[in-house]
Amino acid sequence: MPSPLIEVKNLKKIYSGEGVDTPALRGVSLSIESGEFVAVMGASGSGKSTLLHILGFLDRPTSGTYFFDGKAMDDYSDEELAGVRNKKMGFVFQAFNLLARATVFENVRLPLLYSGIKESLWDGIAKKSVESVGLEQRMNHEAAKLSGGEKQRVAIARALVCDPQVIFADEPTGNLDSASGKIVMEVIQRLNEKQGRTVVLITHESYTAGVARRIINVHDGMIEKDEKVKHRHIASDNFSK
């Protein structure tokens, strides 16, 4: 039986500063199979973003073990961690993190510079990724001139461009109005439903979490509840490509 895509055991993270230790994670254990759509919920300061940063190789735990795709995090060099982040993981953040004066196409194409994919393929891959989030009509628009919802869809297209195994989305609707947030969640749900992408979603919003198939509740750095979604919210599919 294949091992889970993500598996953590007794994960702890302690931040130290000015002689004070602040525990952010207090012994988290979980596994996520390839193709799952998991929402991690919790209040501000609960540890959910710290967990995402560790799962995304953006930070290291103080103790505990983390296996990604069957290999322990401790067995990766820093260079290998960076390679996995670029090729196997896609990230979508609340603040979009786009280059304001670059076009949609240029923003989405950027990760391919570090991908190892042949340069002759970059334009076609970037174009297809933009089309996958329904923004082909905005291909040559500057990111600064887009709405918040469009910016987040560009961020999703950028996260997809290297064909990652997992998408980490950290409060992707946090800066959006309800209508734009719904469209973004339609896109994310479709990535899981139609493309089989593994999605790990960080959110404090119950409706947003309800689009996932499984919800993990985090409180004070520990898992309080981990259960399948019984009454799942099905986002309508506005994008047929």
Side-chain angles (χ1 to χ4, degrees):
M1 188 172 178
S3 58
L5 178 62
I6 289 170
E7 185 173 18
V8 299
K9 296 178 180 178
N10 200 29
L11 214 61
K12 296 180 181 179
K13 180 66 179 182
I14 299 172
Y15 292 105
S16 300
E18 300 180 356
V20 178
D21 289 345
T22 304
L25 296 177
R26 303 170 183 259
V28 169
S29 298
L30 62 86
S31 63
I32 298 173
E33 303 290 339
S34 181
E36 275 201 271
F37 187 167
V38 179
V40 181
M41 286 194 72
S44 178
S46 62
K48 61 185 187 300
S49 290
T50 297
L51 177 60
L52 179 136
H53 289 159
I54 292 172
L55 296 183
F57 285 2
L58 299 169
D59 197 2
R60 289 182 180 270
T62 303
S63 63
T65 58
Y66 172 24
F67 289 85
F68 179 80
D69 204 15
K71 183 174 179 178
M73 187 182 193
D74 290 343
D75 292 340
Y76 289 93
S77 67
D78 287 343
E79 185 177 352
E80 287 172 333
L81 289 176
V84 171
R85 277 197 305 270
N86 182 256
K87 297 174 183 177
K88 295 187 177 183
M89 299 175 175
F91 297 89
V92 180
F93 296 104
Q94 180 176 344
F96 316 132
N97 296 343
L98 301 179
L99 299 176
R101 297 304 170 192
T103 65
V104 168
F105 177 78
E106 290 165 342
N107 269 284
V108 172
R109 187 178 182 272
L110 187 61
L112 294 168
L113 293 171
Y114 315 101
S115 67
I117 296 171
K118 288 194 336 184
E119 187 174 355
S120 61
L121 301 175
W122 292 355
D123 286 1
I125 292 171
K127 183 173 180 289
K128 184 177 180 181
S129 194
V130 173
E131 290 172 348
S132 75
V133 297
L135 286 177
E136 54 270 35
Q137 302 303 317
R138 297 284 191 268
M139 192 84 67
N140 297 311
H141 283 58
E142 286 186 1
K145 297 177 180 178
L146 302 176
S147 69
E150 288 172 336
K151 288 177 182 177
Q152 196 58 289
R153 284 153 64 190
V154 174
I156 293 169
R158 182 186 56 192
L160 291 173
V161 77
C162 291
D163 195 26
Q165 290 178 266
V166 57
I167 298 290
F168 293 109
D170 192 358
E171 299 280 8
T173 62
N175 282 339
L176 305 178
D177 59 59
S178 58
S180 297
K182 184 173 182 293
I183 291 173
V184 165
M185 290 313 301
E186 288 171 9
V187 174
I188 291 175
Q189 188 176 58
R190 183 169 51 84
L191 296 178
N192 176 254
E193 289 287 316
K194 294 192 174 181
Q195 297 184 20
R197 303 274 181 183
T198 306
V199 178
V200 180
L201 169 73
I202 302 294
T203 185
H204 66 275
E205 300 168 338
S206 297
Y207 181 85
T208 301
V211 174
R213 292 184 176 276
R214 172 183 167 198
I215 297 177
I216 297 172
N217 290 93
V218 179
H219 180 71
D220 286 343
M222 296 181 288
I223 292 178
E224 191 173 54
K225 192 185 299 183
D226 182 349
E227 59 187 10
K228 300 288 185 182
V229 175
K230 294 178 181 177
H231 303 291
R232 189 183 184 210
H233 300 150
I234 305 299
S236 62
D237 188 3
N238 287 335
F239 309 104
S240 59
K241 291 182 176 59

